[in-house]
Amino acid sequence: MILVANKEQNMKKQEITSIEKYRPVYHYTPKKNWMNDPNGMVYYDGEYHLCYQHDSNDIIFSDMSWGHAISTDLVQWEECAKAIVPDNDGLGMIFSGSAVVDKNNCAGFGVNTLVAFYTSTKPRQQQSMAYSIDRGRTWIKYIENPIIKNEEWDSIPDDFRDPKVIWHKDSQKWIMSLAVKDHIEFWSSCNLKDWTKDSEFGQGVGSHGGVWECPDFIELSVDNDQTNKKWVLLVSINPGGPNGGSATQYFVGEFKDVDGQMTYISSQKDEKWIDYGTDNYAGVTWSNVENKAIAIGWMSNWDYADKVPTNNWRGAMTIPRELELKNIEGEISITSKPAFALKQIIGAAIATIDDASINSNINVGEELSSSRIKVKMDICDIKDVGIEIGNSKGEHVKIGYNKLDTYFYVDRSNSGENSFKSGFAKLHKAKTNRNLESLDMEIFIDKSSVEVFFNNGERVMTEIIFPTEDFNMVKIFCDNKIEIREFDIKRISLI
């Protein structure tokens, strides 16, 4: 009987392992079912709240509500009861939105109440509100929802969603940015309940391959100069990304009163992207975080999100990232770097510069599927250089810089399982206008993803992958001589 019991236990363990094969180690995923856009992200009383689009019953996008997780450190997450769910109010599903701390009791729900804004889906997309008086543990829908109506006879299209609300100090008003089909609208309020449309931005600028979604609106200093600040508008678009499918673009500009209406103005001509990989979408920042802009995104792509080979769950979040504005050779751009909090889970080195060699494998056992690689190189006389991570089956991902044609890249053409979607297995590029003499890369590897920060986050690429066997080999490759200035691989663990 004992042998039979052990056999049954082993079979069950193998079944669970198979189901959870691609479950990330240090990226947030729900325990089960579908997840997409991050929502309702607010920091309050020492806790980061991460809500997200979640389906209660299936691993496909269907019955949307707000899932909810809480962390004190941006690393360890506790999945909580759902925050906001559909009910019999007749307003339908709970689509994406945001949350704020009402420090001055503008809405009348109490000082420091957490107030969330979301899109209701029936009979058309409209904006609604909920609030929490117990530090985000339970949420009460505002009895007079929707707060911004969208009647059939209105001129507003049905694509009217994803409210991001901020407090604008200069105007002493709350500002809501809304995605409206092919542009962003800015609305203002003094009490969070009554809203007036001020202005529009976006028609004829940026990428317009598909509908605009999930805006974010943040003020950032340029090169940490507090006297030189710009307003940054993040807009996710599907399709229309730089490497296909969905992605998040951004604009840099000014936000000011024009003839009594708060108006966004940007002279930006070129398309700019938060992430040039295919798997960082709908990313937004936490509200109520002082002196930092910390963002997180949905680590997937609408091209194949409902087809990826995970069995009882679908969807993960990127690692949290700190966004900054930098003047790079006369052009003001966003740079991204891994949030400082991640340092606490980066452990002992499993390879160092003493192990580094050119064009030959470094075997690192089984640790590479949850690790971070850092490398800095002088690359004066080369055409192509980078790092390849792989396994004994010949599956691999190449991450590098093509100096001849000046682009960074991630090539997942041979990264493992890819039959679920034609075109998934491809080389993806992030163009840069500079011919570099040195290259640094910080690469975060998890069970089913790679996130690459090139040259201190000047370009970022996030890609999901599905190797059939854990990666356990690393190779530095190039077509000529290089000098390795820094190299290490470190284990990442939540324990």
Side-chain angles (χ1 to χ4, degrees):
M1 293 294 293
I2 294 175
L3 290 175
V4 172
N6 286 340
K7 183 177 180 181
E8 289 177 350
Q9 289 174 2
N10 288 335
M11 289 176 64
K12 187 174 181 180
K13 183 177 180 181
Q14 289 172 5
E15 181 183 351
I16 292 172
T17 301
S18 177
I19 291 173
E20 299 289 287
K21 180 175 184 178
Y22 296 119
R23 173 80 72 173
V25 173
Y26 58 94
H27 291 78
Y28 180 77
T29 56
K31 293 176 182 176
K32 62 180 182 178
N33 298 335
W34 168 276
M35 175 183 75
N36 60 292
D37 307 353
N39 299 156
M41 292 163 50
V42 60
Y43 176 74
Y44 178 67
D45 196 21
E47 296 176 329
Y48 295 90
H49 293 264
L50 170 63
C51 296
Y52 47 88
Q53 292 286 277
H54 189 241
D55 190 291
S56 301
N57 305 306
D58 209 338
I59 58 171
I60 60 172
F61 179 95
S62 180
D63 185 21
M64 288 296 99
S65 58
W66 275 21
H68 187 197
I70 295 175
S71 174
T72 59
D73 60 6
L74 290 171
V75 173
Q76 300 272 9
W77 292 94
E78 178 185 356
E79 188 168 341
C80 305
K82 285 180 176 291
I84 309 174
V85 299
D87 56 24
N88 59 1
D89 62 6
L91 294 176
M93 292 184 289
I94 315 298
F95 273 13
S96 293
S98 58
V100 299
V101 180
D102 186 6
K103 297 179 181 179
N104 297 317
N105 194 23
C106 296
F109 301 133
V111 174
N112 289 328
T113 295
L114 302 185
V115 185
F117 303 86
Y118 61 92
T119 297
S120 299
T121 60
K122 289 184 178 181
R124 293 159 64 84
Q125 292 182 5
Q126 307 179 91
Q127 314 320 315
S128 293
M129 178 170 66
Y131 60 95
S132 174
I133 56 176
D134 59 359
R135 298 171 54 245
R137 269 54 185 180
T138 58
W139 294 81
I140 304 165
K141 289 183 178 178
Y142 180 46
I143 195 169
E144 295 186 30
N145 279 336
I147 55 173
I148 301 180
K149 295 182 179 181
N150 185 6
E151 309 285 5
E152 288 186 10
W153 52 84
D154 288 339
S155 60
I156 301 171
D158 193 39
D159 292 314
F160 180 61
R161 57 180 177 266
D162 310 337
K164 177 60 188 271
V165 174
I166 65 164
W167 173 252
H168 185 245
K169 183 173 62 176
D170 291 348
S171 66
Q172 289 292 292
K173 292 181 179 179
W174 296 96
I175 300 296
M176 177 190 292
S177 49
L178 276 169
V180 188
K181 195 172 183 178
D182 62 352
H183 64 278
I184 300 300
E185 293 184 355
F186 293 95
W187 295 60
S188 62
S189 173
C190 293
N191 63 7
L192 292 173
K193 298 175 180 177
D194 303 302
W195 293 86
T196 302
K197 179 182 172 181
D198 279 30
S199 59
E200 298 181 0
F201 172 84
Q203 292 167 325
V205 300
S207 177
H208 282 274
V211 67
W212 281 24
E213 297 184 310
C214 303
D216 196 1
F217 198 45
I218 51 178
E219 189 178 33
L220 296 175
S221 61
V222 180
D223 295 325
N224 294 317
D225 180 358
Q226 297 302 309
T227 66
N228 183 17
K229 292 186 176 183
K230 301 291 183 182
W231 280 95
V232 176
L233 175 64
L234 276 59
V235 180
S236 290
I237 181 170
N238 173 49
N243 281 290
S246 47
T248 301
Q249 61 184 323
Y250 70 91
F251 302 89
V252 179
E254 310 291 336
F255 190 60
K256 58 185 179 181
D257 188 307
V258 177
D259 298 328
Q261 295 183 318
M262 297 307 300
T263 304
Y264 186 63
I265 301 169
S266 175
S267 59
Q268 181 178 315
K269 303 298 182 184
D270 299 331
E271 294 176 1
K272 293 178 179 289
W273 303 93
I274 288 289
D275 193 309
Y276 286 77
T278 54
D279 296 301
N280 181 7
Y281 190 64
V284 288
T285 57
W286 269 275
S287 68
N288 201 42
V289 176
E290 293 186 5
N291 304 317
K292 285 184 180 180
I294 304 175
I296 202 167
W298 175 45
M299 197 159 58
S300 196
N301 189 301
W302 281 115
D303 268 2
Y304 43 74
D306 61 344
K307 300 177 179 66
V308 296
T310 56
N311 294 319
N312 67 334
W313 59 278
R314 277 203 180 115
M317 293 297 175
T318 67
I319 59 172
R321 304 163 184 199
E322 295 179 22
L323 307 182
E324 297 178 335
L325 277 182
K326 299 290 186 182
N327 191 325
I328 302 173
E329 296 193 346
E331 184 177 14
I332 297 175
S333 301
I334 281 185
T335 63
S336 300
K337 61 183 181 181
F340 183 81
L342 291 167
K343 290 185 179 294
Q344 64 185 290
I345 60 171
I346 297 175
I350 53 179
T352 68
I353 196 168
D354 294 333
D355 302 304
S357 59
I358 309 301
N359 295 323
S360 61
N361 282 322
I362 305 167
N363 195 312
V364 294
E366 299 179 355
E367 302 293 344
L368 196 58
S369 290
S370 179
S371 63
R372 187 213 63 183
I373 302 174
K374 284 192 75 172
V375 61
K376 293 183 180 181
M377 302 178 282
D378 291 338
I379 54 170
C380 297
D381 299 315
I382 57 95
K383 296 179 182 178
D384 190 45
V385 62
I387 282 182
E388 179 181 297
I389 57 176
N391 59 29
S392 64
K393 291 186 174 182
E395 298 168 346
H396 62 269
V397 176
K398 295 184 72 173
I399 300 164
Y401 171 63
N402 185 302
K403 188 173 182 179
L404 186 64
D405 295 317
T406 61
Y407 63 81
F408 303 108
Y409 65 88
V410 176
D411 186 352
R412 65 181 182 190
S413 299
N414 298 295
S415 58
E417 172 59 39
N418 58 49
S419 62
F420 55 88
K421 174 63 177 179
S422 174
F424 177 85
K426 290 178 65 176
L427 180 147
H428 297 140
K429 301 177 181 179
K431 185 68 176 175
T432 178
N433 297 323
R434 297 195 291 154
N435 194 298
L436 302 175
E437 299 299 316
S438 62
L439 173 68
D440 74 73
M441 297 187 293
E442 187 169 15
I443 305 167
F444 285 79
I445 307 166
D446 210 334
K447 288 285 185 179
S448 52
S449 65
V450 292
E451 293 167 271
V452 190
F453 299 80
F454 294 100
N455 284 11
N456 296 310
E458 180 180 331
R459 291 287 189 272
V460 183
M461 299 187 74
T462 301
E463 306 274 346
I464 58 174
I465 52 174
F466 301 97
T468 60
E469 176 186 279
D470 283 350
F471 288 145
N472 60 359
M473 291 179 285
V474 176
K475 178 168 66 178
I476 300 172
F477 65 86
C478 67
D479 58 6
N480 207 337
K481 292 182 179 180
I482 59 172
E483 184 168 355
I484 302 172
R485 297 288 188 182
E486 179 182 338
F487 176 79
D488 67 47
I489 306 173
K490 290 186 176 180
R491 180 184 298 109
I492 292 182
S493 174
L494 293 179
I495 299 175

